[in-house]
């Protein structure tokens, strides 16, 4: 006889869940350390970037302190070895098609301060002493006066075209009153680029020649090179200041006209006066190539 009894099932207990895995404390600390280090590195990098930008701003501010418009003023003043130099100008001459030499240009300031920084005061050297130094394209005469102040045992010939000679002589006279040691050490003589220079006293060649702000789009290029050839020999050294304005003119004057006759050594910017320099103003020592006429 069949029965209606229902079979009963005994429940099987479930296994307890596994214990939680231990947290990788060491890895977490390494990760946290890396994040902190990366943050510090980024902070250092940002600080360096800020510092670099601050240095650039400070440098630009220094440049703006001296690189200001001077063409509209009748006088320019600066100090060399704590002695004031006053230069008379005739503003606006270049605008009406006359010479650019009637005002002080930036290159003259940079080169003047370079000479002071490297050869003035306690840095005095015999490099330019007991020499007859010629300046080509003297303009206002600023550089010749600066050289006369720094290099006490040398004499100087400042040259330019006839219309500028009166201004140069005037500036030499004005500053000789303040700097008596300039007396009888600076002569002003006419020199037209590209023409015979045997009228100069003394006659060429010269041991040192200074050329400042003479490579310029509106100025005669080949006559300047011709004059430097006539005024120099293989023992001559030419100290040149150049402001870069035009790529074509730079290639034309340096590569095509001058390089066949002269070798150029650029003076490192680290040697410039730290407060008087600009990326577009370059200083060179130039010497004549041997056996080149």
């Amino acid at each position: 006889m069949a029965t209606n009894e229902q079979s009963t099932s005994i429940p099987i207990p479930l296994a307890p869940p596994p214990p939680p895995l231990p947290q990788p404390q060491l890895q977490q600390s390494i990760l946290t350390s890396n994040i902190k280090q990366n943050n510090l590195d980024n902070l250092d990098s940002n600080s360096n970037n800020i510092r670099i930008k601050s240095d650039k701003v400070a440098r630009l501010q220094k440049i703006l302190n001296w690189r200001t418009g001077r063409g509209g003023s009748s006088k320019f003043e600066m100090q060399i070895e704590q002695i004031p130099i006053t230069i008379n100008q005739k503003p606006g001459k270049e605008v009406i098609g006359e010479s650019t030499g009637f005002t002080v240009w930036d290159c003259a300031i940079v080169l003047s301060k370079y000479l002071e920084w490297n050869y003035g005061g306690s840095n005095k050297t015999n490099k330019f002493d007991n020499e007859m130094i010629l300046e080509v394209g003297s303009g206002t005469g600023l550089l010749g006066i600066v050289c006369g102040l720094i290099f006490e045992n040398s004499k100087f010939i400042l040259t330019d075209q006839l219309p500028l000679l009166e201004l140069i002589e005037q500036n030499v006279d004005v500053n000789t009153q303040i700097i008596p040691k300039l007396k009888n050490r600076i002569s002003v003589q006419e020199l037209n680029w590209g023409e015979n220079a045997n009228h100069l006293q003394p006659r060429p060649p010269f041991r040192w020649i200074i050329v400042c702000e003479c490579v310029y789009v509106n100025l005669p290029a080949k006559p300047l090179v011709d004059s430097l050839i006539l005024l120099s020999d293989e023992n001559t050294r030419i100290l040149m200041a150049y402001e870069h304005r035009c790529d074509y003119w730079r290639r034309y004057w340096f590569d095509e006209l001058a390089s066949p006759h002269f070798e150029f050594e650029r003076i490192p910017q680290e040697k410039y006066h730290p407060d008087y320099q600009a990326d577009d103003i370059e200083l060179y020592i130039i010497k004549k190539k041997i056996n080149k006429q």
Side-chain angles (χ1 to χ4, degrees):
M1 179 173 172
T3 63
N4 293 328
E5 291 183 4
Q6 295 181 353
S7 61
T8 59
S9 60
I10 301 174
I12 301 174
L14 298 175
L21 293 174
Q23 295 297 321
Q25 296 296 332
L26 180 60
Q27 295 297 325
Q28 181 67 26
S29 64
I30 292 175
L31 178 61
T32 303
S33 175
N34 287 340
I35 292 174
K36 289 180 178 179
Q37 185 61 50
N38 288 337
N39 289 337
L40 289 174
D41 290 343
N42 290 335
L43 182 60
D44 288 343
S45 176
N46 291 335
S47 298
N48 287 335
N49 289 336
I50 292 172
R51 191 177 302 113
I52 290 171
K53 291 179 180 178
S54 298
D55 291 343
K56 288 182 177 179
V57 170
R59 183 168 178 268
L60 289 174
Q61 287 174 337
K62 287 180 179 179
I63 292 173
L64 290 175
N65 286 336
W66 62 268
R67 203 169 192 183
T68 56
R70 295 173 297 278
S73 174
S74 61
K75 288 187 184 297
F76 169 75
E77 296 178 341
M78 71 183 304
Q79 286 200 347
I80 297 293
E81 297 189 335
Q82 299 182 336
I83 296 175
I85 293 177
T86 300
I87 297 297
N88 292 306
Q89 302 187 126
K90 293 186 177 181
K93 289 286 188 177
E94 69 277 5
V95 177
I96 60 175
E98 297 189 28
S99 173
T100 59
F102 287 100
T103 56
V104 173
W105 293 76
D106 292 343
C107 274
I109 298 174
V110 172
L111 185 51
S112 294
K113 284 296 184 178
Y114 163 81
L115 293 171
E116 177 193 32
W117 183 254
N118 289 276
Y119 304 107
S122 60
N123 297 322
K124 282 195 180 295
T125 175
N126 292 326
K127 185 172 185 178
F128 296 95
D129 270 355
N130 298 308
E131 299 284 357
M132 180 63 69
I133 301 174
L134 175 81
E135 184 182 10
V136 172
S138 298
T140 62
L142 170 63
L143 268 172
I145 294 167
V146 169
C147 288
L149 172 59
I150 297 175
F151 308 118
E152 300 177 358
N153 299 318
S154 294
K155 294 187 176 182
F156 305 89
I157 304 174
L158 309 189
T159 69
D160 215 308
Q161 295 177 306
L162 183 61
L164 282 152
L165 300 188
E166 182 181 355
L167 178 62
I168 299 172
E169 290 172 343
Q170 182 185 39
N171 284 324
V172 171
D173 291 342
V174 166
N175 287 279
T176 300
Q177 296 175 21
I178 304 171
I179 314 168
K181 61 185 176 182
L182 296 179
K183 189 175 182 179
N184 300 325
R185 293 177 45 234
I186 299 177
S187 70
V188 179
Q189 302 182 37
E190 181 181 1
L191 177 64
N192 296 307
W193 297 350
E195 296 181 5
N196 190 294
N198 288 332
H199 65 282
L200 294 175
Q201 294 297 326
R203 296 174 64 179
F206 295 92
R207 176 71 178 86
W208 281 98
I209 299 174
I210 295 175
V211 183
C212 180
E213 195 65 284
C214 291
V215 179
Y216 186 72
V217 176
N218 292 340
L219 300 181
K222 187 175 184 302
L224 174 59
V225 175
D226 292 341
S227 279
L228 295 179
I229 293 171
L230 293 172
L231 295 166
S232 64
D233 62 16
E234 62 271 16
N235 297 314
T236 300
R237 295 297 178 266
I238 302 170
L239 177 59
M240 176 178 168
Y242 164 76
E243 181 176 345
H244 177 62
R245 296 182 178 90
C246 171
D247 289 339
Y248 167 76
W249 201 256
R250 180 196 186 102
R251 290 192 301 269
Y252 175 60
W253 196 89
F254 280 85
D255 298 340
E256 296 185 30
L257 297 180
S259 290
H261 307 280
F262 297 97
E263 297 175 357
F264 292 82
E265 177 187 352
R266 185 169 175 179
I267 298 174
Q269 201 171 54
E270 292 78 15
K271 294 188 176 182
Y272 298 13
H273 191 295
D275 295 337
Y276 292 88
Q277 54 178 266
D279 291 339
D280 59 337
I281 294 180
E282 304 163 4
L283 304 181
Y284 292 89
I285 296 291
I286 306 172
K287 63 180 181 178
K288 202 171 192 178
K289 290 183 177 179
I290 300 175
N291 297 328
K292 288 287 183 180
Q293 299 299 324

